[in-house]
Amino acid sequence: SNSSLIVGDLAMIKLIRHIFPGIHPEVEMTRYLTRAGYDHTAPLLGEVAHTDSSGRRSTLIIVQGAIRNQGDAWNWMLNNLRRGADELVLNDPAVQPGDDVFQPLISFVAMVGMRLGELHVVLAGETADEAFSPVIAGDSEVEAMKKAVAGEVAYAMSKLAEREENADPAIDLLAAPLLKRRSELVELAATLAEATRHTLMTRTHGDFHLGQILVSEGDAVIIDFEGEPAKNLAERRAKTNPLRDVAGLLRSLSYLVATAQLDNDAVIEHENEVRREAIARFGRQAEEAFLDAYAQAVSASKALDMPPDQRRRVLDAFLLEKAAYEIAYEARNRPKWLPIPLSGLTEIVSRLAGVPA
């Protein structure tokens, strides 16, 4: 959606490739966060915009402060996770990961949870700016949420049903049980989304995953607030429950673990199993560290507080939505990757049903 130019240590210039009239979400968000004093994103320095003869305004260029970094969190974590797992297998399979070789990664994930929580606290604050003023989810908001979440699940199931049978037996094995329960899954998603009633709705990142985070000297810097490119402008700027961002990061961690297990240097099956289990344990520890740090950060805002059971149900609704979105995306673009989101959705559904995946 854009091309970027780096000007020394001073600025990053984004040249917008897909021009559309209206308020650009990234300009709007970074301007608001810069004025609010949120330090863990690239500050907005300015923009270049065009106004046509009818008064319609379109952003052409966004200029943000440059951030010294070691890369985005996805690539940085994936490389280090693979390296750590290989080191673990080659040196001492008895060592428990999380205590040593994976600890820097787990600490970083906790930092991500803290920075996201701090972001949500800022966005939950009272303001005279109507575009950022939080609202309480009432009947219309809840119905819209239910429609969005259930609709995403229904669309994912339809994309699975369109696949040519026997094209890939491994995918069919994962997809068949979900397709048999497609109506139940759509209903489950809508039921869980009902838990958003009376919760706070705010502006959010909108497309939060590990690729939207820079690793900067051990800290996490959140970037790219333009929202999901496939959504229209109104959807990108809409207020929603902040746990949608949390679900996005949890699903990104799930993808990270699955991707790290694909390629390895293990030479025998035993080594491969040790490596696989080590990465899986890392995934569980990273998820716990992220959620704990996030919860601690958002505790600073009473407006974001909700009972634990309600929080879990809201988060589960968005986890279903995110996994379904991934299934539809992979079915359209990378069919060979379908086992990752299919396994993710299966695990979520199994947990909700109280049975082993």
Side-chain angles (χ1 to χ4, degrees), residues 236-276:
R236 295 194 217 178
R237 298 181 64 228
K239 295 164 187 172
T240 187
N241 189 290
L243 290 176
R244 206 172 223 144
D245 283 345
V246 175
L249 199 284
L250 290 176
R251 289 300 307 143
S252 192
L253 285 174
S254 180
Y255 254 73
L256 180 79
V257 167
T259 304
Q261 292 174 335
L262 293 178
D263 300 320
N264 63 75
D265 294 331
V267 294
I268 59 176
E269 185 59 31
H270 170 70
E271 287 185 354
N272 187 52
E273 183 63 18
V274 169
R275 187 180 188 279
R276 187 191 67 79

Side-chain angles (χ1 to χ4, degrees), residues 60-93:
L60 306 179
I61 298 173
I62 303 172
V63 187
Q64 297 171 304
I67 302 293
R68 282 182 171 269
N69 65 87
Q70 289 78 58
D72 66 80
W74 170 266
N75 286 298
W76 182 82
M77 290 192 69
L78 181 59
N79 291 335
N80 284 284
L81 182 55
R82 285 172 169 166
R83 187 180 301 115
D86 292 340
E87 178 184 330
L88 185 70
V89 170
L90 295 174
N91 293 337
D92 185 1

Side-chain angles (χ1 to χ4, degrees), residues 210-240:
L210 290 170
Q212 310 287 45
I213 303 163
L214 295 180
V215 182
S216 180
E217 298 180 355
D219 208 339
V221 178
I222 299 174
I223 59 172
D224 291 341
F225 288 89
E226 65 182 30
E228 291 182 7
K231 291 185 176 180
N232 61 43
L233 185 60
E235 290 174 317
R236 295 194 217 178
R237 298 181 64 228
K239 295 164 187 172
T240 187

